[in-house]
Amino acid sequence: MEVGGSCSDIQGLPEECVSHAISFTSPRDACRSEAVSAAFRSAACSDKVWRSFLPADYAEMLARAVDRVEFASMKHLYFRLCDPILIDGGKMGFFVDRDTGAKCFILPARELWIVWGDTPQYWRWVPHPESRFSEVAELLNVCWLEIQGKINCRMLSKRSNYSAYLIFKLSNSARGFRFPLQEVSVTIGGVHVSKFSVRLMEEQESSRLRPILRRPRIMWNILHHANLPQEPQEDLREPLNDPPVEAPDVPDDADEPQHDQLPDPNEQARRDRGMVLKPQTRQDGWMEILLGEFYNEEGDDGDVAMSLLEIKGGNWKNGLIVQGIEIRPKKRSCGDSCKREKDENVGISFPRRSYGDCCKRDKR
């Protein structure tokens, strides 16, 4: 073959060879290959290529679907499964990641473990017009908030980095989610792999101000009602430049429930360092907050437990609407260095595992 020969040499390869080569790339690269030539378009759209991008057990997932999934080709099926479908009688949502084809799942609120979730005075289960599931969990009033979901590693794609998110909304009357901070964590086989603080509700500037009470003028009132001279003695006057006195702590048995407590110095310091994650708005109109990240090696590490809790403050909370927990591949960008990756949405950095094939598509 002459050096600098035309690209017709590679186009002369059998279509099966081209399809086989494209199957080792990615769905995005396969779509780009369609623009090379008519021969490449035929190879890139072949069922062999797009079947290789689908999870190995895609047929089982289709059999578990609540509604029959119609498709004309493997490529059509791939992009159809990029939108979640209900499986197992509506007890779980399933979809594939558009970029990698990795398996993703949504655990509905009914499949989560929610403390006091079955007690009507604390939580109620209602349908929601914007939820893909038949019902959601709505928080009425609790001071002990604890939500946990579990999924077995065998259900997930092997050698993949995953992120877990709580999908939720806050009602207009929601309270108690600014302070104290909520703690989120992920454990695999009972071992913590991720743990940090989040804030489900945006902080208001006014909530950072501590209420103050002026020093009571007890002696002044006594002198005033005793018909003594109106001007108190010099040493009884209240100095105008006295610092304000902080409000006393409310006792535990106070009649009125406390909602957003005042921030402590540690929480303020963490917030200033950018260590507190905030929720993001999804395309479907719901909110999501990161619960943690983990790496699924071979799927033999047992259950992955994802949780959100706030049990230390004792303040009352209400107005949280939980749709479920979504587990999907962690998004990452490849460059010259694969050591660290920055989450632009929350402004913090997470360490990336230095696996040799971290930037390659994992074969399932």
Side-chain angles (χ1 to χ4, degrees), residues 46 69 83 194 302:
S46 67
V69 179
D83 295 325
S194 177

Side-chain angles (χ1 to χ4, degrees), residues 15 19 23 41-54 58 71-77:
E15 182 178 313
S19 297
S23 68
R41 184 180 305 111
S42 178
C45 291
S46 67
D47 286 348
K48 178 180 180 180
V49 169
W50 290 93
R51 185 181 289 109
S52 69
F53 296 148
L54 287 166
Y58 75 90
F71 57 95
S73 64
M74 288 292 107
K75 180 180 179 181
H76 183 199
L77 174 62

Side-chain angles (χ1 to χ4, degrees), residues 139-256:
L139 174 59
L140 300 180
N141 215 22
V142 297
C143 60
W144 183 294
L145 177 65
E146 186 170 0
I147 301 173
Q148 184 182 104
K150 287 186 178 181
I151 189 170
N152 195 279
C153 289
R154 290 193 300 268
M155 299 179 62
L156 305 174
S157 296
K158 297 179 181 179
R159 297 178 295 280
S160 298
N161 285 292
Y162 276 95
S163 299
Y165 295 85
L166 179 73
I167 308 173
F168 70 98
K169 281 180 177 287
L170 291 173
S171 67
N172 294 333
S173 60
R175 285 176 170 270
F177 298 104
R178 293 190 179 94
F179 299 105
L181 298 176
Q182 299 84 46
E183 301 293 331
V184 296
S185 63
V186 170
T187 62
I188 300 181
V191 179
H192 276 95
V193 296
S194 177
K195 186 176 182 180
F196 47 89
S197 299
V198 300
R199 178 181 289 114
L200 294 184
M201 181 178 287
E202 289 291 340
E203 181 185 10
Q204 291 182 349
E205 194 68 22
S206 60
S207 68
R208 299 170 59 182
L209 303 177
R210 300 181 66 89
I212 59 175
L213 294 177
R214 301 297 298 175
R215 179 178 296 174
R217 301 186 177 186
I218 299 177
M219 293 302 298
W220 166 251
N221 291 333
I222 294 176
L223 294 173
H224 177 74
H225 292 290
N227 293 323
L228 294 177
Q230 296 297 310
E231 186 67 16
Q233 298 178 11
E234 186 67 25
D235 58 348
L236 296 179
R237 294 180 184 178
E238 179 185 18
L240 297 178
N241 59 349
D242 252 12
V245 179
E246 296 181 356
D249 295 334
V250 179
D252 295 336
D253 57 350
D255 295 334
E256 183 178 356

Side-chain angles (χ1 to χ4, degrees), residues 49 60 130 134 223 266 280 356:
V49 169
E60 177 187 345
E130 299 178 8
S134 59
L223 294 173
N266 293 332
Q280 303 295 320

